[in-house]
Every structure is written in structure tokens, then in C-alpha cells.
mmCIF file of all heavy atoms in Angstrom:
data_model
loop_
_atom_site.group_PDB
_atom_site.id
_atom_site.type_symbol
_atom_site.label_atom_id
_atom_site.label_comp_id
_atom_site.label_asym_id
_atom_site.label_seq_id
_atom_site.Cartn_x
_atom_site.Cartn_y
_atom_site.Cartn_z
ATOM 1 N N ARG A 53 -3.116 -6.480 -10.927
ATOM 2 C CA ARG A 53 -2.544 -5.572 -11.917
ATOM 3 C C ARG A 53 -1.089 -5.252 -11.603
ATOM 4 O O ARG A 53 -0.249 -5.178 -12.505
ATOM 5 C CB ARG A 53 -3.365 -4.279 -11.995
ATOM 6 C CG ARG A 53 -2.911 -3.392 -13.140
ATOM 7 C CD ARG A 53 -3.754 -2.149 -13.303
ATOM 8 N NE ARG A 53 -3.288 -1.400 -14.470
ATOM 9 C CZ ARG A 53 -3.767 -0.209 -14.814
ATOM 10 N NH1 ARG A 53 -4.726 0.361 -14.099
ATOM 11 N NH2 ARG A 53 -3.290 0.424 -15.875
ATOM 12 N N LEU A 54 -0.778 -5.078 -10.327
ATOM 13 C CA LEU A 54 0.607 -4.827 -9.944
ATOM 14 C C LEU A 54 1.491 -6.033 -10.248
ATOM 15 O O LEU A 54 2.638 -5.883 -10.669
ATOM 16 C CB LEU A 54 0.696 -4.476 -8.454
ATOM 17 C CG LEU A 54 0.179 -3.084 -8.069
ATOM 18 C CD1 LEU A 54 0.122 -2.947 -6.560
ATOM 19 C CD2 LEU A 54 1.065 -2.003 -8.663
ATOM 20 N N VAL A 55 0.944 -7.238 -10.029
ATOM 21 C CA VAL A 55 1.693 -8.446 -10.380
ATOM 22 C C VAL A 55 1.975 -8.464 -11.884
ATOM 23 O O VAL A 55 3.076 -8.807 -12.327
ATOM 24 C CB VAL A 55 0.927 -9.708 -9.950
ATOM 25 C CG1 VAL A 55 1.553 -10.959 -10.541
ATOM 26 C CG2 VAL A 55 0.907 -9.811 -8.427
ATOM 27 N N MET A 56 0.975 -8.077 -12.663
ATOM 28 C CA MET A 56 1.163 -8.006 -14.111
ATOM 29 C C MET A 56 2.296 -7.046 -14.457
ATOM 30 O O MET A 56 3.064 -7.266 -15.390
ATOM 31 C CB MET A 56 -0.134 -7.546 -14.793
ATOM 32 C CG MET A 56 -0.049 -7.483 -16.315
ATOM 33 S SD MET A 56 -1.626 -6.992 -17.087
ATOM 34 C CE MET A 56 -1.700 -5.238 -16.670
ATOM 35 N N ASP A 57 2.401 -5.994 -13.652
ATOM 36 C CA ASP A 57 3.452 -4.994 -13.862
ATOM 37 C C ASP A 57 4.710 -5.306 -13.055
ATOM 38 O O ASP A 57 5.594 -4.466 -12.903
ATOM 39 C CB ASP A 57 2.941 -3.595 -13.478
ATOM 40 C CG ASP A 57 1.821 -3.140 -14.388
ATOM 41 O OD1 ASP A 57 1.784 -3.585 -15.548
ATOM 42 O OD2 ASP A 57 0.984 -2.342 -13.948
ATOM 43 N N LEU A 58 4.778 -6.525 -12.483
ATOM 44 C CA LEU A 58 5.941 -7.012 -11.726
ATOM 45 C C LEU A 58 6.214 -6.207 -10.467
ATOM 46 O O LEU A 58 7.344 -5.911 -10.120
ATOM 47 C CB LEU A 58 7.193 -7.029 -12.622
ATOM 48 C CG LEU A 58 7.094 -7.888 -13.874
ATOM 49 C CD1 LEU A 58 8.393 -7.841 -14.656
ATOM 50 C CD2 LEU A 58 6.735 -9.327 -13.528
ATOM 51 N N LYS A 59 5.128 -5.856 -9.787
ATOM 52 C CA LYS A 59 5.249 -5.203 -8.488
ATOM 53 C C LYS A 59 4.462 -6.032 -7.473
ATOM 54 O O LYS A 59 3.763 -6.970 -7.826
ATOM 55 C CB LYS A 59 4.705 -3.773 -8.558
ATOM 56 C CG LYS A 59 5.457 -2.898 -9.560
ATOM 57 C CD LYS A 59 4.824 -1.527 -9.657
ATOM 58 C CE LYS A 59 5.485 -0.681 -10.728
ATOM 59 N NZ LYS A 59 4.829 0.611 -10.918
ATOM 60 N N PHE A 60 4.529 -5.659 -6.200
ATOM 61 C CA PHE A 60 3.849 -6.447 -5.190
ATOM 62 C C PHE A 60 3.081 -5.558 -4.225
ATOM 63 O O PHE A 60 3.419 -4.396 -4.018
ATOM 64 C CB PHE A 60 4.849 -7.337 -4.451
ATOM 65 C CG PHE A 60 5.479 -8.350 -5.349
ATOM 66 C CD1 PHE A 60 6.704 -8.089 -5.939
ATOM 67 C CD2 PHE A 60 4.831 -9.522 -5.642
ATOM 68 C CE1 PHE A 60 7.287 -9.010 -6.808
ATOM 69 C CE2 PHE A 60 5.407 -10.445 -6.502
ATOM 70 C CZ PHE A 60 6.639 -10.191 -7.092
ATOM 71 N N ALA A 61 2.048 -6.158 -3.614
ATOM 72 C CA ALA A 61 1.011 -5.404 -2.928
ATOM 73 C C ALA A 61 1.466 -4.618 -1.699
ATOM 74 O O ALA A 61 1.434 -3.393 -1.697
ATOM 75 C CB ALA A 61 -0.123 -6.344 -2.530
ATOM 76 N N LEU A 62 1.865 -5.312 -0.646
ATOM 77 C CA LEU A 62 2.153 -4.600 0.599
ATOM 78 C C LEU A 62 3.338 -3.653 0.449
ATOM 79 O O LEU A 62 3.358 -2.571 1.039
ATOM 80 C CB LEU A 62 2.408 -5.597 1.731
ATOM 81 C CG LEU A 62 1.193 -6.446 2.123
ATOM 82 C CD1 LEU A 62 1.585 -7.450 3.204
ATOM 83 C CD2 LEU A 62 0.058 -5.561 2.608
ATOM 84 N N SER A 63 4.307 -4.042 -0.372
ATOM 85 C CA SER A 63 5.445 -3.150 -0.595
ATOM 86 C C SER A 63 5.039 -1.908 -1.372
ATOM 87 O O SER A 63 5.763 -0.917 -1.391
ATOM 88 C CB SER A 63 6.558 -3.884 -1.361
ATOM 89 O OG SER A 63 6.116 -4.259 -2.655
ATOM 90 N N GLU A 64 3.863 -1.970 -2.003
ATOM 91 C CA GLU A 64 3.349 -0.825 -2.754
ATOM 92 C C GLU A 64 2.343 -0.024 -1.946
ATOM 93 O O GLU A 64 1.654 0.842 -2.486
ATOM 94 C CB GLU A 64 2.712 -1.304 -4.065
ATOM 95 C CG GLU A 64 3.704 -1.860 -5.061
ATOM 96 C CD GLU A 64 4.730 -0.830 -5.499
ATOM 97 O OE1 GLU A 64 4.329 0.298 -5.818
ATOM 98 O OE2 GLU A 64 5.927 -1.154 -5.502
ATOM 99 N N GLY A 65 2.218 -0.329 -0.669
ATOM 100 C CA GLY A 65 1.399 0.494 0.207
ATOM 101 C C GLY A 65 -0.040 0.044 0.394
ATOM 102 O O GLY A 65 -0.849 0.795 0.948
ATOM 103 N N PHE A 66 -0.389 -1.172 -0.062
ATOM 104 C CA PHE A 66 -1.745 -1.646 0.184
ATOM 105 C C PHE A 66 -1.957 -1.846 1.678
ATOM 106 O O PHE A 66 -1.115 -2.413 2.371
ATOM 107 C CB PHE A 66 -1.999 -2.966 -0.554
ATOM 108 C CG PHE A 66 -2.407 -2.783 -1.986
ATOM 109 C CD1 PHE A 66 -1.448 -2.488 -2.945
ATOM 110 C CD2 PHE A 66 -3.727 -2.871 -2.363
ATOM 111 C CE1 PHE A 66 -1.808 -2.310 -4.262
ATOM 112 C CE2 PHE A 66 -4.096 -2.694 -3.678
ATOM 113 C CZ PHE A 66 -3.141 -2.407 -4.637
ATOM 114 N N GLU A 67 -3.104 -1.392 2.179
ATOM 115 C CA GLU A 67 -3.416 -1.469 3.599
ATOM 116 C C GLU A 67 -4.150 -2.762 3.924
ATOM 117 O O GLU A 67 -5.031 -3.196 3.173
ATOM 118 C CB GLU A 67 -4.300 -0.285 3.994
ATOM 119 C CG GLU A 67 -4.684 -0.237 5.456
ATOM 120 C CD GLU A 67 -5.627 0.916 5.766
ATOM 121 O OE1 GLU A 67 -5.916 1.698 4.841
ATOM 122 O OE2 GLU A 67 -6.065 1.010 6.924
ATOM 123 N N LYS A 68 -3.797 -3.399 5.037
ATOM 124 C CA LYS A 68 -4.507 -4.590 5.482
ATOM 125 C C LYS A 68 -5.789 -4.187 6.209
ATOM 126 O O LYS A 68 -5.763 -3.330 7.095
ATOM 127 C CB LYS A 68 -3.621 -5.417 6.427
ATOM 128 C CG LYS A 68 -2.435 -6.087 5.754
ATOM 129 C CD LYS A 68 -1.551 -6.806 6.749
ATOM 130 C CE LYS A 68 -2.277 -7.961 7.407
ATOM 131 N NZ LYS A 68 -1.381 -8.765 8.273
ATOM 132 N N ILE A 69 -6.928 -4.785 5.810
ATOM 133 C CA ILE A 69 -8.186 -4.525 6.500
ATOM 134 C C ILE A 69 -8.895 -5.852 6.758
ATOM 135 O O ILE A 69 -8.603 -6.865 6.132
ATOM 136 C CB ILE A 69 -9.113 -3.582 5.699
ATOM 137 C CG1 ILE A 69 -9.696 -4.305 4.476
ATOM 138 C CG2 ILE A 69 -8.398 -2.326 5.271
ATOM 139 C CD1 ILE A 69 -10.866 -3.569 3.882
ATOM 140 N N ASN A 70 -9.840 -5.839 7.687
ATOM 141 C CA ASN A 70 -10.634 -7.031 7.985
ATOM 142 C C ASN A 70 -11.792 -7.108 6.997
ATOM 143 O O ASN A 70 -12.693 -6.265 7.015
ATOM 144 C CB ASN A 70 -11.157 -6.973 9.420
ATOM 145 C CG ASN A 70 -11.917 -8.223 9.798
ATOM 146 O OD1 ASN A 70 -11.936 -9.200 9.048
ATOM 147 N ND2 ASN A 70 -12.552 -8.200 10.959
ATOM 148 N N LEU A 71 -11.795 -8.108 6.127
ATOM 149 C CA LEU A 71 -12.839 -8.251 5.119
ATOM 150 C C LEU A 71 -14.090 -8.938 5.656
ATOM 151 O O LEU A 71 -15.124 -8.955 4.982
ATOM 152 C CB LEU A 71 -12.308 -9.050 3.920
ATOM 153 C CG LEU A 71 -11.103 -8.453 3.179
ATOM 154 C CD1 LEU A 71 -10.695 -9.377 2.034
ATOM 155 C CD2 LEU A 71 -11.401 -7.062 2.656
ATOM 156 N N LEU A 72 -14.011 -9.519 6.850
ATOM 157 C CA LEU A 72 -15.148 -10.237 7.423
ATOM 158 C C LEU A 72 -16.076 -9.255 8.132
ATOM 159 O O LEU A 72 -15.794 -8.785 9.228
ATOM 160 C CB LEU A 72 -14.654 -11.309 8.404
ATOM 161 C CG LEU A 72 -15.731 -12.228 8.988
ATOM 162 C CD1 LEU A 72 -16.364 -13.081 7.887
ATOM 163 C CD2 LEU A 72 -15.138 -13.118 10.075
ATOM 164 N N THR A 73 -17.201 -8.922 7.496
ATOM 165 C CA THR A 73 -18.174 -8.008 8.088
ATOM 166 C C THR A 73 -18.973 -8.732 9.171
ATOM 167 O O THR A 73 -19.062 -9.967 9.172
ATOM 168 C CB THR A 73 -19.139 -7.458 7.029
ATOM 169 O OG1 THR A 73 -19.858 -8.560 6.445
ATOM 170 C CG2 THR A 73 -18.392 -6.690 5.946
ATOM 171 N N PRO A 74 -19.599 -7.986 10.088
ATOM 172 C CA PRO A 74 -20.423 -8.638 11.120
ATOM 173 C C PRO A 74 -21.525 -9.513 10.528
ATOM 174 O O PRO A 74 -21.831 -10.583 11.065
ATOM 175 C CB PRO A 74 -21.004 -7.446 11.892
ATOM 176 C CG PRO A 74 -19.997 -6.350 11.714
ATOM 177 C CD PRO A 74 -19.477 -6.536 10.315
ATOM 178 N N GLU A 75 -22.124 -9.085 9.422
ATOM 179 C CA GLU A 75 -23.196 -9.859 8.787
ATOM 180 C C GLU A 75 -22.676 -11.189 8.257
ATOM 181 O O GLU A 75 -23.303 -12.244 8.425
ATOM 182 C CB GLU A 75 -23.834 -9.051 7.656
ATOM 183 C CG GLU A 75 -24.623 -7.831 8.108
ATOM 184 C CD GLU A 75 -23.756 -6.642 8.458
ATOM 185 O OE1 GLU A 75 -22.522 -6.699 8.190
ATOM 186 O OE2 GLU A 75 -24.287 -5.650 9.001
ATOM 187 N N ALA A 76 -21.492 -11.143 7.601
ATOM 188 C CA ALA A 76 -20.918 -12.372 7.061
ATOM 189 C C ALA A 76 -20.470 -13.300 8.184
ATOM 190 O O ALA A 76 -20.600 -14.526 8.083
ATOM 191 C CB ALA A 76 -19.744 -12.043 6.136
ATOM 192 N N GLU A 77 -19.943 -12.731 9.269
ATOM 193 C CA GLU A 77 -19.520 -13.547 10.407
ATOM 194 C C GLU A 77 -20.720 -14.239 11.055
ATOM 195 O O GLU A 77 -20.651 -15.426 11.418
ATOM 196 C CB GLU A 77 -18.799 -12.692 11.449
ATOM 197 C CG GLU A 77 -18.258 -13.496 12.613
ATOM 198 C CD GLU A 77 -17.471 -12.638 13.595
ATOM 199 O OE1 GLU A 77 -17.664 -11.407 13.608
ATOM 200 O OE2 GLU A 77 -16.671 -13.213 14.345
ATOM 201 N N LYS A 78 -21.845 -13.537 11.138
ATOM 202 C CA LYS A 78 -23.064 -14.121 11.695
ATOM 203 C C LYS A 78 -23.542 -15.290 10.838
ATOM 204 O O LYS A 78 -23.926 -16.345 11.352
ATOM 205 C CB LYS A 78 -24.152 -13.049 11.795
ATOM 206 C CG LYS A 78 -25.445 -13.539 12.410
ATOM 207 C CD LYS A 78 -26.472 -12.414 12.496
ATOM 208 C CE LYS A 78 -27.790 -12.920 13.087
ATOM 209 N NZ LYS A 78 -28.799 -11.823 13.148
ATOM 210 N N ALA A 79 -23.513 -15.101 9.512
ATOM 211 C CA ALA A 79 -23.929 -16.175 8.597
ATOM 212 C C ALA A 79 -23.015 -17.390 8.728
ATOM 213 O O ALA A 79 -23.470 -18.537 8.704
ATOM 214 C CB ALA A 79 -23.938 -15.656 7.156
ATOM 215 N N TRP A 80 -21.716 -17.150 8.864
ATOM 216 C CA TRP A 80 -20.750 -18.247 9.017
ATOM 217 C C TRP A 80 -20.996 -19.016 10.314
ATOM 218 O O TRP A 80 -20.998 -20.251 10.311
ATOM 219 C CB TRP A 80 -19.332 -17.677 8.987
ATOM 220 C CG TRP A 80 -18.274 -18.634 9.416
ATOM 221 C CD1 TRP A 80 -17.919 -19.801 8.806
ATOM 222 C CD2 TRP A 80 -17.426 -18.520 10.565
ATOM 223 N NE1 TRP A 80 -16.890 -20.418 9.491
ATOM 224 C CE2 TRP A 80 -16.570 -19.640 10.568
ATOM 225 C CE3 TRP A 80 -17.290 -17.563 11.565
ATOM 226 C CZ2 TRP A 80 -15.611 -19.832 11.556
ATOM 227 C CZ3 TRP A 80 -16.320 -17.754 12.556
ATOM 228 C CH2 TRP A 80 -15.508 -18.879 12.543
ATOM 229 N N LYS A 81 -21.221 -18.308 11.408
ATOM 230 C CA LYS A 81 -21.461 -18.971 12.695
ATOM 231 C C LYS A 81 -22.747 -19.795 12.647
ATOM 232 O O LYS A 81 -22.831 -20.870 13.251
ATOM 233 C CB LYS A 81 -21.510 -17.934 13.817
ATOM 234 C CG LYS A 81 -20.141 -17.358 14.148
ATOM 235 C CD LYS A 81 -20.204 -16.353 15.290
ATOM 236 C CE LYS A 81 -18.798 -15.848 15.643
ATOM 237 N NZ LYS A 81 -18.821 -14.823 16.718
ATOM 238 N N ASN A 82 -23.738 -19.299 11.910
ATOM 239 C CA ASN A 82 -24.967 -20.065 11.736
ATOM 240 C C ASN A 82 -24.706 -21.331 10.921
ATOM 241 O O ASN A 82 -25.222 -22.408 11.220
ATOM 242 C CB ASN A 82 -26.027 -19.200 11.043
ATOM 243 C CG ASN A 82 -27.367 -19.889 10.977
ATOM 244 O OD1 ASN A 82 -27.919 -20.293 12.000
ATOM 245 N ND2 ASN A 82 -27.914 -20.009 9.782
ATOM 246 N N TRP A 83 -23.852 -21.203 9.882
ATOM 247 C CA TRP A 83 -23.504 -22.355 9.055
ATOM 248 C C TRP A 83 -22.746 -23.413 9.866
ATOM 249 O O TRP A 83 -22.903 -24.616 9.648
ATOM 250 C CB TRP A 83 -22.657 -21.905 7.864
ATOM 251 C CG TRP A 83 -22.107 -23.037 7.050
ATOM 252 C CD1 TRP A 83 -22.747 -23.757 6.083
ATOM 253 C CD2 TRP A 83 -20.790 -23.589 7.144
ATOM 254 N NE1 TRP A 83 -21.915 -24.719 5.566
ATOM 255 C CE2 TRP A 83 -20.709 -24.637 6.198
ATOM 256 C CE3 TRP A 83 -19.664 -23.294 7.914
ATOM 257 C CZ2 TRP A 83 -19.547 -25.392 6.011
ATOM 258 C CZ3 TRP A 83 -18.521 -24.047 7.746
ATOM 259 C CH2 TRP A 83 -18.464 -25.080 6.805
ATOM 260 N N LEU A 84 -21.938 -22.971 10.825
ATOM 261 C CA LEU A 84 -21.137 -23.891 11.638
ATOM 262 C C LEU A 84 -21.990 -24.878 12.430
ATOM 263 O O LEU A 84 -21.505 -25.943 12.823
ATOM 264 C CB LEU A 84 -20.251 -23.102 12.608
ATOM 265 C CG LEU A 84 -18.982 -22.460 12.034
ATOM 266 C CD1 LEU A 84 -18.286 -21.636 13.109
ATOM 267 C CD2 LEU A 84 -18.037 -23.511 11.476
ATOM 268 N N LYS A 85 -23.270 -24.543 12.623
ATOM 269 C CA LYS A 85 -24.145 -25.439 13.381
ATOM 270 C C LYS A 85 -24.306 -26.781 12.682
ATOM 271 O O LYS A 85 -24.511 -27.805 13.315
ATOM 272 C CB LYS A 85 -25.507 -24.776 13.587
ATOM 273 C CG LYS A 85 -25.459 -23.512 14.448
ATOM 274 C CD LYS A 85 -26.809 -22.824 14.506
ATOM 275 C CE LYS A 85 -26.736 -21.519 15.295
ATOM 276 N NZ LYS A 85 -28.035 -20.802 15.305
#
């Protein structure tokens, strides 16, 4: 939406967070087998 309004994310104060939850990381490591 900010892009639509010609603005950008981090400069607008969006916070960086880790989106990889422990459950998703466990599933990924299982898939790696």
C-alpha cells in the first residue's frame, strides 16, 4: 500500500522481525532430509 502511495517500508518505520517460527523451521529441517 505504501508503494502504491509512493512511499517505502523501512523509511516509514516498518520493524524487521524473524518470520521463521520454530514450528516452520522444524518442518523445513525435516524436509531437508
Side-chain angles (χ1 to χ4, degrees):
R53 188 176 183 185
L54 287 171
V55 169
M56 182 178 73
D57 295 332
L58 301 181
K59 299 176 185 176
F60 296 95
L62 294 177
S63 64
E64 292 298 313
F66 276 78
E67 181 183 357
K68 291 176 65 174
I69 72 165
N70 183 8
L71 300 179
L72 185 65
T73 61
E75 292 79 9
E77 184 177 21
K78 182 179 179 181
W80 168 64
K81 287 181 177 178
N82 186 56
W83 173 81
L84 282 176
K85 295 174 183 177

